Amino acid sequence: MARLFGTDGVRGIANVELTNRIAYGLGQAAVRFLGKTIVVGRDTRLSGDMLQAALVAGITSAGGTAFLAGIVPTPAVALLTRKLNAAGGVVISASHNPPEYNGIKLFDGQGFKLPDAAEDAIEEFVMGGGLEGAVQRAQQQGEPVQMPSGGDVGIAVELQQACSMYIEHVVEAVRSQGITFEGLTVALDTGHGASSHTSEEALTRLGATVVTINDDYDGTDINVECGSTHLEPLRKLVVQSQADVGIAHDGDADRVMLMTAQGEALDGDVIEAVCALDMKQRGVLPGDTVVSTVMCNLGFVHAMRDAGIDVVQTKVGDRYVLEAMREHGYAIGGEQSGHMILLDHNSTGDGLMTAVQFLAAVKRSGKTIAEAAAVMRRFPQELINVRVADKHTAVENSQVKEAVAAAEQALGDDGRVLLRPSGTEPVIRVMVEAGSEAVAQQQARAIADVVEHACA
């Protein structure tokens, strides 16, 4: 059986792969493995109501208290968990995935995602029948254990100021640096997602003029041809509004993509480079080191090297970036996809905090967005997603290995090849980096064709 947890919690098509039974079990597991008080937040997906009801039933059936934050960005749940001294937090969201998907991810009491070992224990508990299964097994062994009842059953409490607390946290993080965004025009695409409640207000309170699209939602439009994975609507808005910068979030706003006034997209590599250089200049970059993943562009590594900054590269997934940061005391880490962790400000990827810290860095530099972004020269990079029957065996296929070896030989020292299975979908991601766009596309297409024919 495939592992229940992927790279970012439990995820699948809601009510088909991610069922109410699983949500109920994860609610019980949150109380069993984290503690009695659990903050619960969700994005705008239609299935959020259903899964939240099941999750909260699990929490309360285990004797826990569910603090209901409502529709809030993922980083807000991490923040609220700390501020309320809760035992843990749960987010119901499938992040950047299509509307029919949903997911459940857990935070510990410090707002950090759980390590693999903890997820393995939770998976065993859930698949073993949850609390009811544990009670039944205990009774079979002669232990007088019962399900919570009467006054021991938990409750659900609505949090009235969840979004406000998060917004204030973001605003204060910039104001404390003596920075405002007066005179700045921001084009904002909230992707019909959770940031519809937070990003415009925070940016406005910091002095920016904000023009927003896709801040409404009906539960079936989240991430659909908009947001951080579909930048064309933002590009049009930047031009129409003559904005200085564009900001696009995914559904739960744990990531961000930015755009210059000229319509050039700035991904996580560029954002991290600008923020890291600013932190080094201010003397707040521990160890003169940043953390990224194996997917980061070679241009990022070169830019950091030229600035005297070391780059630690991890497996893909912000959880692995975070593990390296916590282990060695680093303050900034990110992914090309726009996940950025700034441990001085939050314990998980935070799209809005990342955007405002980037803008603060640009303000200090006295440059335009495009001028600040020119700190790194991007190596052309081609990424092709190939849907396969079994993503776990595809990378070991002999034909695929031969195709990869041939591409690596052709590229030599002027590029690289990376194949990896998606953490959330039956997909193999084929990435090729090369000295020219044409070569990157050619080699990536050649490998992807082999993957598609050999592993479909």
Side-chain angles (χ1 to χ4, degrees):
M1 183 187 69
R3 189 171 186 266
L4 183 65
F5 285 87
T7 56
D8 198 16
V10 179
R11 196 173 293 185
I13 297 175
N15 214 31
V16 176
E17 298 165 335
L18 178 56
T19 64
N20 289 331
R21 184 181 297 276
I22 291 175
Y24 176 79
L26 288 170
Q28 291 184 329
V31 176
R32 177 83 169 226
F33 291 88
L34 299 176
K36 291 276 191 173
T37 51
I38 307 296
V39 177
V40 178
R42 49 163 295 209
D43 67 19
T44 60
R45 292 165 206 272
L46 201 64
S47 59
D49 282 340
M50 173 187 74
L51 292 172
Q52 179 174 286
L55 178 84
V56 172
I59 292 171
T60 54
S61 76
T65 297
F67 293 114
L68 306 183
I71 295 174
V72 293
T74 284
V77 174
L79 174 73
L80 290 165
T81 298
R82 297 194 305 275
K83 281 189 170 294
L84 298 175
N85 293 315
V90 182
V91 180
I92 303 169
S93 171
S95 192
H96 63 285
N97 286 154
E100 65 269 23
Y101 284 81
N102 216 323
I104 296 175
K105 48 191 168 186
L106 289 80
F107 293 115
D108 66 18
Q110 295 178 287
F112 291 117
K113 292 180 180 178
L114 305 185
D116 287 345
E119 289 185 344
D120 289 342
I122 289 173
E123 177 171 340
E124 182 179 358
F125 172 81
V126 172
M127 303 311 291
L131 187 59
E132 287 85 354
V135 167
Q136 184 178 26
R137 287 188 292 274
Q139 291 174 343
Q140 290 172 349
Q141 295 174 4
E143 298 178 21
V145 180
Q146 300 289 334
M147 289 288 293
S149 62
D152 293 330
V153 171
I155 60 171
V157 179
E158 291 189 6
L159 298 177
Q160 301 298 325
Q161 302 296 322
C163 284
S164 297
M165 292 172 68
Y166 173 65
I167 291 168
E168 182 57 35
H169 171 73
V170 173
V171 169
E172 181 56 29
V174 176
R175 284 180 176 167
S176 64
Q177 300 174 34
I179 297 287
T180 73
F181 297 155
E182 295 286 345
L184 194 70
T185 299
V186 177
L188 174 66
D189 183 353
T190 59
H192 300 300
S195 63
S196 301
H197 292 279
T198 52
S199 288
E200 180 177 346
E201 181 175 345
L203 291 163
T204 300
R205 287 175 58 180
L206 285 167
T209 299
V210 186
V211 183
T212 307
I213 56 173
N214 300 321
D215 57 339
D216 58 339
Y217 50 85
D218 63 12
T220 66
D221 51 7
I222 185 171
N223 297 321
V224 177
E225 299 299 324
C226 61
S228 63
T229 54
H230 300 276
L231 293 176
E232 193 54 37
L234 178 65
R235 186 170 286 108
K236 291 179 181 177
L237 182 64
V238 167
V239 173
Q240 291 170 358
S241 61
Q242 297 183 317
D244 300 294
V245 64
I247 298 175
H249 293 301
D250 61 336
D252 68 336
D254 64 348
R255 69 170 70 183
V256 68
M257 295 287 277
L258 302 180
M259 188 170 287
T260 69
Q262 294 74 36
E264 179 187 359
L266 307 180
D267 64 15
D269 288 343
V270 178
I271 297 168
E272 184 171 7
V274 171
C275 290
L277 288 173
D278 175 69
M279 292 172 68
K280 180 175 170 61
Q281 291 168 0
R282 291 189 289 130
V284 293
L285 185 66
D288 285 341
T289 299
V290 298
V291 182
S292 189
T293 75
V294 293
M295 287 291 287
C296 75
N297 192 277
L298 285 175
F300 173 76
V301 177
H302 289 182
M304 296 296 93
R305 178 198 62 197
D306 294 345
I309 298 173
D310 293 328
V311 179
V312 173
Q313 291 180 271
T314 72
K315 294 189 296 183
V316 173
D318 62 322
R319 60 183 299 161
Y320 303 114
V321 171
L322 178 61
E323 285 175 4
M325 293 173 68
R326 295 182 70 187
E327 182 178 355
H328 300 287
Y330 302 137
I332 181 173
E335 296 186 281
Q336 191 180 82
S337 61
H339 278 108
M340 190 76 64
I341 302 171
L342 299 163
L343 278 183
D344 291 339
H345 303 291
N346 209 339
S347 55
T348 192
D350 190 332
L352 177 57
M353 182 64 77
T354 298
V356 299
Q357 292 302 323
F358 174 91
L359 293 176
V362 173
K363 275 276 190 177
R364 272 188 290 269
S365 74
K367 300 177 181 179
T368 66
I369 304 297
E371 289 169 344
V375 66
M376 70 167 272
R377 181 185 70 84
R378 175 172 303 284
F379 278 64
Q381 191 179 70
E382 184 72 8
L383 177 64
I384 301 176
N385 294 324
V386 184
R387 191 163 290 270
V388 295
D390 187 343
K391 65 183 179 182
H392 300 289
T393 61
V395 292
E396 298 300 323
N397 181 279
S398 60
Q399 296 178 54
V400 173
K401 285 186 173 182
E402 289 175 6
V404 170
E408 289 176 337
Q409 183 175 7
L411 291 168
D413 295 331
D414 295 326
R416 65 181 180 127
V417 177
L418 180 68
L419 259 67
R420 69 175 188 89
S422 165
T424 58
E425 302 174 88
V427 163
I428 291 293
R429 306 199 193 282
V430 179
M431 191 276 284
V432 175
E433 225 163 36
S436 74
E437 185 174 351
V439 172
Q441 290 176 345
Q442 177 188 12
Q443 295 296 341
R445 186 71 265 168
I447 296 171
D449 286 344
V450 173
V451 173
E452 185 172 7
H453 288 104
C455 308

